[in-house]
Amino acid sequence: GMAQDPDKLFVGLVQQNCNHDCKTAILKGATVSDTEPDEDCYQLFCDSPEGQNHCNAGRIRVLHVDESDSLGPYTARYFASKLWNGEQWYIQIDSHMTFAPKWDALSLSMLQDAPSNKPILSHYPPSDETDFRRARTTPAPRICGPNFASSPNEAQIIRLEGVGQYERVPGRPRFAPFVAAGYFVVQSDFLFQVPFDPFLPW
C-alpha cells in the first residue's frame, strides 16, 4: 500500500454493481450490448494477501447496492457518510484513484498547514496516466471555472474546470471557492455541520 499508516485507516465502501442481466454503457453508434456481471472488488481485495488483514480487522465497511437500485453518486456519498464510525478525519474519494506515497500523512500535514480554522483539502484527482514524478514539482491547476453540464444525462450539474496554473508549487494550501467531490479531506465534524443531502438529483 501507499499509506504511511494503513492500520489507522478505515474504509467505507459503497459498491454499486450490476450482478445479473448486465448491459454495457452506451457505446459508439448509440448501441448497448450484453456484458458480464461486475467483479466484487470488496471480495477480491479481502481475498488478496494485501487486503486480508484489513478486512479481518474490520477496517473495511461495505454497503452493497445492486445497479438497478442505485440512485447515483449523490445518494452513494450520503450512504458512505453513514459508514463513518467516529474517526477524527473524513476523506471522500472517487473509485478510480492513484495514491502518492505517504498520502495519508501528507494530507494531514497539509490540513494542519492550511490557513483556516476549519480547513477542507480538496482537488480534482489527476488522471491515472499522469506522470506523478513530474507532477510533484508542477503547480496544480486552480479549482474554478464553474459551468453547468450540457449533457442531458447530467441534469445540469455544475462542472468545475482547472483554470490557470499556480505560478509555483505553494508552500501551503491555497484558498479555493469550491470543493471537488472526487477528493477531499476534512475533520469529521463536517458530517454534522454540513451533512450530505441524499435527495439531490442524479
Side-chain angles (χ1 to χ4, degrees):
M2 302 298 278
Q4 177 174 293
D5 298 301
D7 293 348
K8 294 181 180 178
L9 300 176
F10 290 83
V11 175
L13 170 65
V14 178
Q15 183 166 280
Q16 303 184 103
N17 279 3
C18 179
N19 299 309
H20 52 80
D21 302 324
C22 301
K23 303 286 185 185
T24 62
I26 298 173
L27 304 173
K28 205 172 195 179
T31 61
V32 175
S33 303
D34 293 334
T35 191
E36 294 296 315
D38 294 323
E39 291 184 324
D40 185 338
C41 295
Y42 168 76
Q43 196 60 54
L44 287 172
F45 179 72
C46 289
D47 290 341
S48 72
E50 184 180 25
Q52 199 167 42
N53 289 340
H54 296 294
C55 295
N56 291 342
R59 289 192 283 269
I60 314 292
R61 304 167 191 143
V62 63
L63 173 65
H64 295 279
V65 179
D66 190 271
E67 180 186 57
S68 61
D69 296 325
S70 171
L71 297 175
Y74 294 131
T75 306
R77 289 168 185 146
Y78 167 79
F79 288 147
S81 74
K82 296 304 178 183
L83 298 174
W84 173 78
N85 193 30
E87 292 79 18
Q88 182 178 2
W89 305 100
Y90 186 84
I91 179 173
Q92 177 173 291
I93 61 170
D94 278 348
S95 56
H96 306 287
M97 292 284 290
T98 301
F99 288 96
K102 300 182 180 180
W103 63 268
D104 51 337
L106 288 169
S107 294
L108 294 183
S109 175
M110 285 190 275
L111 273 176
Q112 289 160 359
D113 288 344
S116 172
N117 293 327
K118 294 184 178 181
I120 299 176
L121 187 67
S122 182
H123 210 280
Y124 269 172
S127 160
D128 59 2
E129 297 175 0
T130 300
D131 179 348
F132 289 101
R133 278 182 282 189
R134 181 176 177 276
R136 288 179 65 87
T137 57
T138 304
R142 302 167 188 256
I143 298 183
C144 51
N147 292 301
F148 284 102
S150 57
S151 166
N153 294 336
E154 294 184 308
Q156 292 283 290
I157 64 171
I158 294 176
R159 287 263 179 214
L160 304 177
E161 297 177 0
V163 178
Q165 299 281 126
Y166 289 112
E167 298 76 24
R168 56 187 172 80
V169 176
R172 64 180 185 168
R174 298 289 184 90
F175 286 106
F178 300 101
V179 173
Y183 167 77
F184 69 80
V185 189
V186 65
Q187 290 187 6
S188 59
D189 55 3
F190 156 90
L191 295 171
F192 300 96
Q193 295 170 358
V194 193
F196 285 87
D197 182 349
F199 301 111
L200 288 172
W202 196 76

